[in-house]
């Protein structure tokens, strides 16, 4: 029996997504069929829609999702039918140069296969009604009622966490909390500055809190986002449209600059501010991204004095370890996720959701499937 389901398809960049009925391929041995219950709208999806990040089309976007396992292939490991899962977008081979060096995010197979927008084995797992093969972003394609992923990507979590909150763990929350917790950058009592308070920045604020930061300075241009940052753990909000961010950093940290700066704004000016605001010997962590062909300028003096700069994707995630812990932290009240959801929408409202994200009106819109 072939499975048919509704999916939001991007046929061409810079055109709206079209919700249509598509057909799933047969499960391969290590495949997992997930009934998607919630999926978050992330900036990376928007970049693909706008064409600044290029992928072959037609394609189903969506890479921040949670759902229920409906079927597993005979060789799938670590997951079973009925499990509630959060999906990881970083499957990796486990045996290449970078996997051997404990950098799954740089896995050569992952980076080689990713741009093709197929499943991790390079083949399509869904087709349009006319039979054309359908791509899936980040081996996932979660803006759909179902998606087929490889077993590594389907991470069981507690059944108590609601799907709309669980899905956030799969990208934005992992990226922000992981940057603060998984690199060992923040020592107890440190002063931490987070530049940019979207979903990732608000997660980083919480990661800094969980890491035991003494003071957390949130920086944004939007007073509403700053207010939210203060609610979830920031101790000071700095409005970069009015205040001098570097002066505020120095003022809060004995004139030296802050111990750790986490950037999650994705602008050249934000990158520049990070190296000015950090103290000598302090640590800068960049999470945001801009066009890869663009230059960023720094004052040379701001890069000196033993400062350490790291660029991190996906919060140095080890999903099988981290996702269940983050779900548990939510259930224990230590990690606030309800606050990150601005809107719950249907699959049919997905284009409005991306318009709102583009206008900066939302932290996260989450598609909630019935
Ligand atoms: Zn994302
Ligand atoms: Zn590898």
């Amino acid at each position: 029996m072939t499975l048919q389901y509704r999916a939001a398809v991007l046929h061409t960049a810079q055109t709206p997504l079209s919700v249509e009925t598509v057909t799933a391929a047969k499960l391969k041995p290590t495949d997992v069929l997930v009934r998607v219950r919630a999926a978050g709208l992330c900036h990376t999806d928007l970049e693909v829609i706008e064409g600044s990040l290029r992928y072959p089309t037609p394609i189903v976007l969506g890479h921040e999702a949670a759902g229920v396992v409906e079927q597993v292939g005979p060789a799938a490991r670590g997951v079973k039918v009925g499990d509630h899962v959060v999906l990881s977008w970083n499957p990796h081979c486990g045996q290449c140069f970078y996997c051997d060096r404990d950098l799954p995010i740089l896995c050569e197979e992952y980076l080689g296969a990713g741009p093709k927008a197929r499943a991790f084995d390079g083949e399509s797992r869904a087709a349009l009604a006319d039979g054309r093969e359908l791509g899936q972003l980040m081996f996932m394609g979660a803006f759909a009622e179902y998606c087929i992923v490889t077993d590594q990507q389907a991470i069981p979590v507690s059944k108590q966490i609601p799907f709309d909150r669980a899905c956030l763990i799969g990208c934005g929350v992992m990226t922000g909390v992981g940057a603060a917790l998984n690199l060992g950058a923040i020592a107890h009592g440190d002063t931490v500055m987070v530049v940019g308070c979207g979903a990732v920045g608000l997660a980083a604020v919480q990661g800094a809190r969980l890491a035991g930061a003494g003071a957390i300075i949130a920086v944004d241009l939007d007073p509403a986002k700053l207010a939210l940052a203060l609610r979830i753990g920031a101790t000071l909000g700095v409005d970069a449209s009015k205040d001098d961010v570097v002066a505020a950093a120095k003022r809060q940290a004995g004139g030296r600059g802050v111990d750790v700066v986490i950037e999650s704004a994705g602008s050249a000016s934000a990158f520049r501010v990070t190296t000015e605001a950090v103290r000598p010997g302090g640590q800068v962590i960049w999470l945001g991204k801009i066009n890869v062909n663009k230059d960023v300028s720094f004052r040379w003096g701001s890069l000196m004095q033993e400062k350490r700069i790291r660029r991190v994707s996906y919060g140095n995630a080890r999903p099988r370890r981290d996702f269940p812990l983050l779900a548990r932290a939510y259930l224990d009240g230590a990690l606030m996720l309800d606050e990150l959801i601005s809107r719950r929408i249907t699959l049919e409202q997905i284009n409005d959701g991306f318009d709102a994200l583009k206008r900066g009106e939302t932290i996260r819109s989450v598609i909630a499937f019935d």
Side-chain angles (χ1 to χ4, degrees):
M1 198 183 81
T2 49
L3 172 70
Q4 296 197 313
Y5 58 92
R6 288 179 311 138
V9 178
L10 178 71
H11 285 276
T12 314
Q14 297 177 325
T15 62
L17 304 177
S18 134
V19 176
E20 46 198 88
T21 300
V22 304
T23 306
K26 239 182 102 210
L27 244 53
K28 297 277 177 74
T30 58
D31 278 353
V32 176
L33 174 69
V34 177
R35 182 179 167 212
V36 181
R37 301 300 309 276
L41 275 53
C42 176
H43 266 281
T44 304
D45 302 305
L46 184 59
E47 287 173 46
V48 180
I49 294 171
E50 291 183 329
S52 56
L53 189 58
R54 285 168 198 274
Y55 276 92
T57 53
I59 183 173
V60 180
L61 309 178
H63 63 279
E64 183 181 86
V68 182
V69 174
E70 289 243 327
Q71 220 179 311
V72 296
R77 294 193 298 172
V79 63
K80 60 183 187 306
V81 171
D83 279 349
H84 290 196
V85 291
V86 173
L87 301 183
S88 154
W89 51 252
N90 180 216
H92 54 282
C93 76
Q95 38 205 343
C96 71
F97 178 91
Y98 288 109
C99 282
D100 273 345
R101 281 154 185 79
D102 199 25
L103 286 164
I105 199 73
L106 298 179
C107 168
E108 289 165 344
E109 208 168 299
Y110 165 76
L111 290 179
K116 301 188 182 98
R118 292 296 185 262
F120 198 45
D121 65 0
E123 291 178 30
S124 176
R125 292 293 193 278
L128 291 169
D130 64 10
R132 272 185 298 153
E133 281 190 358
L134 197 48
Q136 52 189 114
L137 183 67
M138 293 181 181
F139 318 104
M140 200 183 295
F143 295 149
E145 291 172 317
Y146 289 88
C147 66
I148 295 174
V149 297
T150 192
D151 53 0
Q152 264 193 57
Q153 294 178 263
I155 315 295
V157 297
S158 165
K159 288 185 178 169
Q160 287 169 287
I161 179 169
F163 293 107
D164 54 2
R165 277 141 275 188
C167 75
L168 306 176
I169 292 171
C171 184
V173 167
M174 184 68 246
T175 298
V177 176
L181 281 183
N182 283 351
L183 304 174
I186 300 172
H188 201 79
D190 270 357
T191 297
V192 177
M193 175 176 264
V194 176
V195 181
C197 294
V200 170
L202 291 168
V205 165
Q206 301 197 67
R209 172 168 53 72
L210 294 169
I216 303 168
I217 306 165
V219 179
D220 204 279
L221 300 164
D222 178 350
K225 288 181 179 152
L226 288 174
L228 189 48
L230 290 168
R231 260 174 59 206
I232 62 172
T235 53
L236 179 75
V238 175
D239 184 338
S241 68
K242 294 192 200 129
D243 299 324
D244 182 334
V245 176
V246 177
K250 297 214 160 138
R251 207 162 46 235
Q252 292 300 311
R256 290 180 295 273
V258 298
D259 300 300
V260 179
V261 183
I262 300 176
E263 179 280 336
S264 45
S267 73
S269 59
F271 288 126
R272 189 180 165 90
V273 154
T274 58
T275 62
E276 298 283 350
V278 77
R279 67 164 167 79
Q283 189 146 173
V284 172
I285 300 169
W286 288 334
L287 308 183
K289 50 190 176 182
I290 57 171
N291 183 319
V292 291
N293 297 314
K294 231 170 142 181
D295 286 350
V296 179
S297 74
F298 296 96
R299 189 177 61 83
W300 174 242
S302 77
L303 301 173
M304 294 174 72
Q305 298 176 300
E306 321 302 308
K307 291 177 183 175
R308 290 161 294 166
I309 299 175
R310 277 191 81 166
R311 208 290 163 185
V312 185
S313 296
Y314 213 10
N316 205 25
R318 297 296 179 272
R320 221 162 262 284
R321 174 195 69 192
D322 294 338
F323 288 5
L325 283 176
L326 291 170
R328 176 48 54 196
Y330 169 77
L331 293 169
D332 290 346
L335 178 65
M336 296 155 84
L337 299 178
D338 305 27
E339 290 74 5
L340 305 184
I341 302 175
S342 319
R343 294 180 193 173
R344 287 176 179 77
I345 60 174
T346 64
L347 188 61
E348 281 69 23
Q349 293 169 319
I350 191 166
N351 291 306
D352 294 339
F354 277 113
D355 287 343
L357 182 63
K358 202 171 165 176
R359 291 192 299 264
E361 290 170 11
T362 49
I363 303 292
R364 268 298 190 263
S365 293
V366 172
I367 300 170
F369 293 85
D370 316 319

